[in-house]
Amino acid sequence: MNRIYLDHNATSPLRPAAREAMTGVLTETGNASSVHREGRAARSRIERARQRIAAVVGADAEAVIFTSGATEAITLALSPEIELSGRPVCCDVLLISGIEHPAVRAGGRFSEDQIEIIPVDRAGLVDLTTLAAMLTRHRNSKRRAFVSIIAANNETGVIQPLCEIATLVHAAEGIFHIDAVQIVGRYSFDLAASGADLISISSHKLGGPQGVGALIARDANTRIPPLLRGGGQERGARAGTENVAGIVGFGAAAENVALLMAEETAHVASLRDKLETGINSIASDAVILSDAALRIPNTTCFAVPGILAETAVIAFDLEGVAVSAGSACSSGKVGSSLTLAAMKIEPEISRAAVRASLGWNSTEADVVRFLEVFSRIYAKLPSNHRTKAA
Ligand code: PLP
């Protein structure tokens, strides 16, 4: 049975361009810090990838720091001490929304008691009035805020009003970091236009290899105390011999995204619309979360009250379709979703929330098959559970 993969927000399959680029590099040797020809060749491959990754978000290549993934990039970024445009800046509090990825919730190098949560509305959008009040309160008490916000939520796909947030943060002389992991390659995103001081991105969400990511500053003259000290790689920002094949694959994926994004996102958006129309026509009691808000075009988070998410995910899997429970945590166990709880979604909907996320290799046939399977799963639901169904 052909598998249908609809879990691009967990990880997107490796793009052929990335695989080819990596395969070519795996047979080469050379440490990018060595001065001989092999070393120089590795260095130039890394620098080419750095330019491609910078280009995809409109950044300066010198502002890109390679890491082992977005979790490390975020942990590096969330630092109370930072040098921005050559000026040392100390932050006293970390403000994050209630719908952040666990990597941001962990707070980086801020202590737990320095972290404050900005509420979100029912669609999952940051409450700007409360954020403004929090920033004013801290500023009046001579505390500087570091604000970290997820650009597009991994569970619902909701996109935040980034420019408005940046304006508020900068008016209070704070620092603004964006977790741009799910937005890059899926919706237009430009680092300068977003207003962020720093962004974190991950290779495997855009069809590059797993285990590589980047922290990118708006101003290349930004210095953050390193998490890893040693050989001084990445201009002292991150020690350790570079993952050349991973970085090259990341660069190739970024170049491929830059080339194909307009076409891919239009295609994915039309598939997502068909998928949601199909879900609604099969199950009139289905709820599509945040469907009235601006979302990245690949993500659907839906719930049928009465079908537990973990039951649905297993049923889909047995029929060859890979989707996730909106509330799946990294260990694979299904707990309650902190994102949906922050949005004050009722527990019977939250417990039923399933995420289908499409991507660069999704097809019309995938959507048809998904809907066939969904229709069979729904048909098995006892009719007394179909609260709104005709
Ligand atoms: N931020 C978001 C929004 C994510 O979805 C993820 C991955 O699931 C991460 C951060 C962490 O990225 P990585 O897997 O590269 O550590």
Side-chain angles (χ1 to χ4, degrees):
M1 178 181 23
N2 262 357
R3 296 281 303 172
I4 306 290
Y5 186 79
L6 298 180
D7 204 10
H8 284 251
N9 286 12
T11 199
S12 194
L14 194 64
R15 288 173 187 264
R19 189 178 55 236
E20 249 171 64
M22 290 173 78
T23 312
V25 165
L26 287 171
T27 50
E28 303 290 332
T29 193
N31 183 319
S33 301
S34 303
V35 295
H36 47 60
R37 188 191 294 183
E38 289 81 356
R40 292 198 311 276
R43 167 63 48 214
S44 94
R45 289 186 191 103
I46 290 175
E47 297 316 317
R48 216 170 311 132
R50 200 186 300 280
Q51 282 166 2
R52 289 172 174 162
I53 289 150
V56 89
V57 294
D60 185 343
E62 290 203 346
V64 175
I65 301 167
F66 286 118
T67 62
S68 65
T71 299
E72 185 190 330
I74 291 166
T75 309
L76 182 60
L78 303 188
S79 166
E81 277 163 30
I82 184 165
E83 204 180 296
L84 210 58
S85 312
R87 178 176 59 96
V89 179
C90 276
C91 290
D92 309 286
V93 282
L94 172 65
L95 309 185
I96 63 172
S97 83
I99 60 159
E100 296 302 314
H101 186 272
V104 168
R105 279 179 196 278
R109 284 172 278 182
F110 285 87
S111 62
E112 218 172 295
D113 60 358
Q114 288 176 298
I115 305 175
E116 290 180 16
I117 306 290
I118 313 156
V120 296
D121 66 13
R122 199 175 156 83
L125 288 163
V126 167
D127 177 343
L128 296 178
T129 311
T130 306
L131 171 60
M134 290 166 92
L135 289 166
T136 305
R137 177 168 50 84
H138 287 302
R139 200 173 179 203
N140 289 345
S141 310
K142 308 247 175 303
R143 285 190 295 267
R144 192 192 297 271
F146 189 119
V147 178
S148 184
I149 298 291
I150 188 166
N153 184 263
N154 44 309
E155 290 179 43
T156 62
V158 164
I159 298 174
Q160 298 297 334
L162 299 171
C163 296
E164 281 148 278
I165 296 172
T167 304
L168 292 175
V169 175
H170 290 143
E173 293 180 12
I175 292 185
F176 185 31
H177 166 259
I178 292 179
D179 173 349
V181 166
Q182 297 287 353
I183 204 166
V184 173
R186 296 179 181 160
Y187 193 81
S188 70
F189 180 86
D190 177 83
L191 171 48
S194 74
D197 298 299
L198 295 159
I199 64 167
S200 294
I201 63 172
S202 179
S203 155
H204 71 109
K205 308 288 178 171
L206 47 91
Q210 297 176 342
V212 56
L215 174 62
I216 309 179
R218 182 154 45 105
D219 182 336
N221 195 13
T222 296
R223 301 279 170 269
I224 304 175
L227 289 169
L228 302 178
R229 294 166 206 275
Q233 288 88 348
E234 295 297 284
R235 296 194 295 144
R238 203 264 185 188
T241 300
E242 296 88 343
N243 170 8
V244 183
I247 289 170
V248 165
F250 186 9
E255 188 186 38
N256 203 234
V257 159
L259 196 71
L260 302 174
M261 197 175 110
E263 200 184 304
E264 277 181 8
T265 51
H267 174 63
V268 159
S270 85
L271 295 182
R272 202 257 314 257
D273 287 352
K274 284 187 182 133
L275 192 132
E276 293 190 346
T277 307
I279 291 172
N280 281 326
S281 68
I282 292 164
S284 60
D285 53 341
V287 177
I288 301 203
L289 287 140
S290 304
D291 58 347
L294 181 65
R295 291 176 293 161
I296 42 174
N298 76 320
T299 307
T300 290
C301 187
F302 70 96
V304 178
I307 309 183
L308 278 179
E310 58 262 49
T311 311
V313 168
I314 293 167
F316 273 112
D317 190 44
L318 289 173
E319 295 233 34
V321 179
V323 291
S324 291
S327 49
C329 64
S330 54
S331 64
K333 285 189 229 127
V334 179
S336 59
S337 160
L338 295 175
T339 290
L340 301 185
M343 290 161 59
K344 301 200 168 57
I345 300 298
E346 297 71 19
E348 72 269 22
I349 295 177
S350 170
R351 280 197 299 265
V354 170
R355 178 188 70 190
S357 49
L358 303 124
W360 66 268
N361 65 351
S362 299
T363 63
E364 194 104 26
D366 293 347
V367 173
V368 170
R369 178 89 171 274
F370 169 90
L371 291 172
E372 282 167 9
V373 173
F374 176 60
S375 158
R376 282 199 286 277
I377 293 172
Y378 187 73
K380 287 187 193 144
L381 187 69
S383 55
N384 60 350
H385 280 155
R386 292 186 203 154
T387 48
K388 284 192 322 198

